[in-house]
Short mmCIF file of all heavy atoms in Angstrom, two decimals:
data_model
loop_
_atom_site.label_atom_id
_atom_site.label_comp_id
_atom_site.label_asym_id
_atom_site.label_seq_id
_atom_site.Cartn_x
_atom_site.Cartn_y
_atom_site.Cartn_z
N THR B 13 12.13 -13.61 0.29
CA THR B 13 11.40 -12.55 1.00
C THR B 13 12.02 -11.19 0.69
O THR B 13 11.31 -10.18 0.64
CB THR B 13 11.41 -12.79 2.52
OG1 THR B 13 10.97 -14.11 2.78
CG2 THR B 13 10.48 -11.82 3.23
N LEU B 14 13.34 -11.15 0.51
CA LEU B 14 14.03 -9.89 0.25
C LEU B 14 13.93 -9.47 -1.21
O LEU B 14 13.98 -8.28 -1.53
CB LEU B 14 15.50 -10.00 0.65
CG LEU B 14 15.79 -10.16 2.14
CD1 LEU B 14 17.27 -10.43 2.36
CD2 LEU B 14 15.36 -8.92 2.91
N ALA B 15 13.78 -10.46 -2.12
CA ALA B 15 13.79 -10.17 -3.56
C ALA B 15 12.72 -9.19 -4.03
O ALA B 15 13.01 -8.33 -4.86
CB ALA B 15 13.70 -11.48 -4.34
N PRO B 16 11.47 -9.25 -3.53
CA PRO B 16 10.44 -8.33 -4.02
C PRO B 16 10.69 -6.86 -3.66
O PRO B 16 10.02 -5.98 -4.20
CB PRO B 16 9.16 -8.81 -3.33
CG PRO B 16 9.43 -10.23 -2.96
CD PRO B 16 10.88 -10.28 -2.64
N PHE B 17 11.62 -6.57 -2.76
CA PHE B 17 11.88 -5.18 -2.41
C PHE B 17 12.61 -4.49 -3.55
O PHE B 17 13.46 -5.07 -4.20
CB PHE B 17 12.72 -5.08 -1.13
CG PHE B 17 11.93 -5.38 0.11
CD1 PHE B 17 11.69 -6.68 0.50
CD2 PHE B 17 11.42 -4.35 0.88
CE1 PHE B 17 10.94 -6.95 1.63
CE2 PHE B 17 10.67 -4.61 2.01
CZ PHE B 17 10.43 -5.92 2.39
N ALA B 18 12.27 -3.21 -3.77
CA ALA B 18 12.95 -2.44 -4.81
C ALA B 18 14.40 -2.20 -4.38
O ALA B 18 14.67 -2.02 -3.20
CB ALA B 18 12.25 -1.11 -5.02
N PRO B 19 15.33 -2.18 -5.36
CA PRO B 19 16.71 -1.86 -5.00
C PRO B 19 16.75 -0.51 -4.30
O PRO B 19 16.15 0.45 -4.77
CB PRO B 19 17.42 -1.80 -6.36
CG PRO B 19 16.58 -2.60 -7.27
CD PRO B 19 15.17 -2.45 -6.78
N GLY B 20 17.43 -0.45 -3.18
CA GLY B 20 17.45 0.81 -2.43
C GLY B 20 16.57 0.76 -1.20
O GLY B 20 16.75 1.56 -0.28
N ASP B 21 15.60 -0.14 -1.17
CA ASP B 21 14.77 -0.30 0.03
C ASP B 21 15.34 -1.41 0.89
O ASP B 21 15.86 -2.40 0.37
CB ASP B 21 13.32 -0.64 -0.34
CG ASP B 21 12.57 0.56 -0.89
OD1 ASP B 21 13.17 1.65 -0.98
OD2 ASP B 21 11.38 0.40 -1.23
N SER B 22 15.23 -1.27 2.21
CA SER B 22 15.68 -2.34 3.09
C SER B 22 14.69 -2.52 4.23
O SER B 22 13.86 -1.64 4.49
CB SER B 22 17.09 -2.06 3.62
OG SER B 22 17.13 -0.82 4.27
N ILE B 23 14.80 -3.66 4.89
CA ILE B 23 13.84 -4.02 5.93
C ILE B 23 14.58 -4.24 7.24
O ILE B 23 15.70 -4.75 7.26
CB ILE B 23 13.04 -5.28 5.51
CG1 ILE B 23 12.02 -5.65 6.57
CG2 ILE B 23 13.98 -6.45 5.21
CD1 ILE B 23 11.06 -6.74 6.13
N SER B 24 13.94 -3.84 8.34
CA SER B 24 14.57 -4.00 9.64
C SER B 24 14.61 -5.48 10.02
O SER B 24 13.76 -6.26 9.59
CB SER B 24 13.81 -3.21 10.71
OG SER B 24 12.58 -3.84 10.99
N PHE B 25 15.59 -5.83 10.84
CA PHE B 25 15.76 -7.22 11.26
C PHE B 25 14.49 -7.76 11.93
O PHE B 25 14.01 -8.83 11.57
CB PHE B 25 16.97 -7.34 12.18
CG PHE B 25 17.28 -8.74 12.60
CD1 PHE B 25 18.20 -9.51 11.90
CD2 PHE B 25 16.64 -9.32 13.70
CE1 PHE B 25 18.48 -10.81 12.28
CE2 PHE B 25 16.92 -10.63 14.09
CZ PHE B 25 17.84 -11.38 13.38
N PRO B 26 13.90 -7.02 12.91
CA PRO B 26 12.70 -7.56 13.57
C PRO B 26 11.53 -7.77 12.61
O PRO B 26 10.79 -8.75 12.74
CB PRO B 26 12.34 -6.49 14.61
CG PRO B 26 13.54 -5.64 14.76
CD PRO B 26 14.29 -5.72 13.47
N ARG B 27 11.36 -6.86 11.66
CA ARG B 27 10.26 -7.00 10.70
C ARG B 27 10.48 -8.21 9.80
O ARG B 27 9.54 -8.97 9.53
CB ARG B 27 10.13 -5.71 9.85
CG ARG B 27 8.87 -5.68 8.98
CD ARG B 27 7.62 -5.34 9.74
NE ARG B 27 6.42 -5.77 9.05
CZ ARG B 27 5.75 -5.05 8.15
NH1 ARG B 27 6.18 -3.86 7.80
NH2 ARG B 27 4.65 -5.54 7.60
N LEU B 28 11.73 -8.40 9.37
CA LEU B 28 12.07 -9.54 8.53
C LEU B 28 11.85 -10.84 9.30
O LEU B 28 11.33 -11.82 8.79
CB LEU B 28 13.53 -9.44 8.05
CG LEU B 28 14.03 -10.57 7.14
CD1 LEU B 28 13.20 -10.63 5.86
CD2 LEU B 28 15.50 -10.37 6.80
N GLN B 29 12.25 -10.81 10.57
CA GLN B 29 12.09 -11.99 11.42
C GLN B 29 10.61 -12.37 11.52
O GLN B 29 10.25 -13.55 11.46
CB GLN B 29 12.65 -11.68 12.81
CG GLN B 29 12.77 -12.89 13.70
CD GLN B 29 13.02 -12.50 15.15
OE1 GLN B 29 13.55 -11.43 15.43
NE2 GLN B 29 12.64 -13.36 16.06
N LYS B 30 9.77 -11.36 11.67
CA LYS B 30 8.34 -11.60 11.78
C LYS B 30 7.77 -12.17 10.48
O LYS B 30 6.97 -13.10 10.50
CB LYS B 30 7.63 -10.29 12.14
CG LYS B 30 6.24 -10.47 12.67
CD LYS B 30 5.81 -9.31 13.58
CE LYS B 30 4.42 -9.59 14.15
NZ LYS B 30 3.46 -8.51 13.90
N LEU B 31 8.22 -11.61 9.34
CA LEU B 31 7.74 -12.09 8.04
C LEU B 31 8.12 -13.55 7.81
O LEU B 31 7.39 -14.30 7.18
CB LEU B 31 8.32 -11.24 6.91
CG LEU B 31 7.72 -9.85 6.66
CD1 LEU B 31 8.41 -9.21 5.47
CD2 LEU B 31 6.22 -9.92 6.42
N LEU B 32 9.31 -13.91 8.30
CA LEU B 32 9.82 -15.26 8.07
C LEU B 32 9.40 -16.24 9.15
O LEU B 32 9.53 -17.45 8.98
CB LEU B 32 11.34 -15.23 7.99
CG LEU B 32 11.91 -14.61 6.73
CD1 LEU B 32 13.38 -14.27 6.89
CD2 LEU B 32 11.73 -15.56 5.56
N ASP B 33 8.91 -15.71 10.27
CA ASP B 33 8.53 -16.55 11.41
C ASP B 33 9.71 -17.42 11.85
O ASP B 33 9.59 -18.65 11.97
CB ASP B 33 7.32 -17.42 11.04
CG ASP B 33 6.67 -18.01 12.27
OD1 ASP B 33 6.87 -17.48 13.39
OD2 ASP B 33 5.97 -19.04 12.13
N MET B 34 10.86 -16.79 12.02
CA MET B 34 12.08 -17.49 12.45
C MET B 34 12.51 -16.92 13.79
O MET B 34 12.16 -15.80 14.13
CB MET B 34 13.23 -17.18 11.47
CG MET B 34 13.34 -18.06 10.26
SD MET B 34 14.86 -17.58 9.35
CE MET B 34 14.56 -18.47 7.84
N THR B 35 13.33 -17.69 14.51
CA THR B 35 13.91 -17.11 15.72
C THR B 35 15.02 -16.15 15.30
O THR B 35 15.57 -16.25 14.20
CB THR B 35 14.54 -18.19 16.62
OG1 THR B 35 15.64 -18.79 15.91
CG2 THR B 35 13.52 -19.26 17.00
N ALA B 36 15.33 -15.21 16.19
CA ALA B 36 16.35 -14.21 15.88
C ALA B 36 17.69 -14.88 15.60
O ALA B 36 18.42 -14.52 14.68
CB ALA B 36 16.48 -13.21 17.02
N GLY B 37 18.01 -15.88 16.42
CA GLY B 37 19.28 -16.57 16.26
C GLY B 37 19.39 -17.28 14.93
O GLY B 37 20.41 -17.20 14.23
N ASN B 38 18.31 -17.96 14.57
CA ASN B 38 18.22 -18.66 13.29
C ASN B 38 18.43 -17.71 12.12
O ASN B 38 19.26 -17.95 11.23
CB ASN B 38 16.84 -19.31 13.19
CG ASN B 38 16.89 -20.65 12.49
OD1 ASN B 38 17.88 -20.98 11.84
ND2 ASN B 38 15.82 -21.42 12.63
N LEU B 39 17.69 -16.62 12.14
CA LEU B 39 17.78 -15.63 11.06
C LEU B 39 19.19 -15.04 11.00
O LEU B 39 19.76 -14.90 9.92
CB LEU B 39 16.74 -14.52 11.25
CG LEU B 39 16.74 -13.42 10.19
CD1 LEU B 39 16.55 -13.99 8.79
CD2 LEU B 39 15.65 -12.39 10.48
#
Side-chain angles (χ1 to χ4, degrees):
Chain B
T13 308
L14 293 173
F17 285 82
D21 286 0
S22 56
I23 181 171
S24 72
F25 184 94
R27 189 78 201 272
L28 181 60
Q29 190 194 334
K30 197 154 183 235
L31 284 182
L32 288 164
D33 196 20
M34 273 185 192
T35 64
N38 216 345
L39 180 56

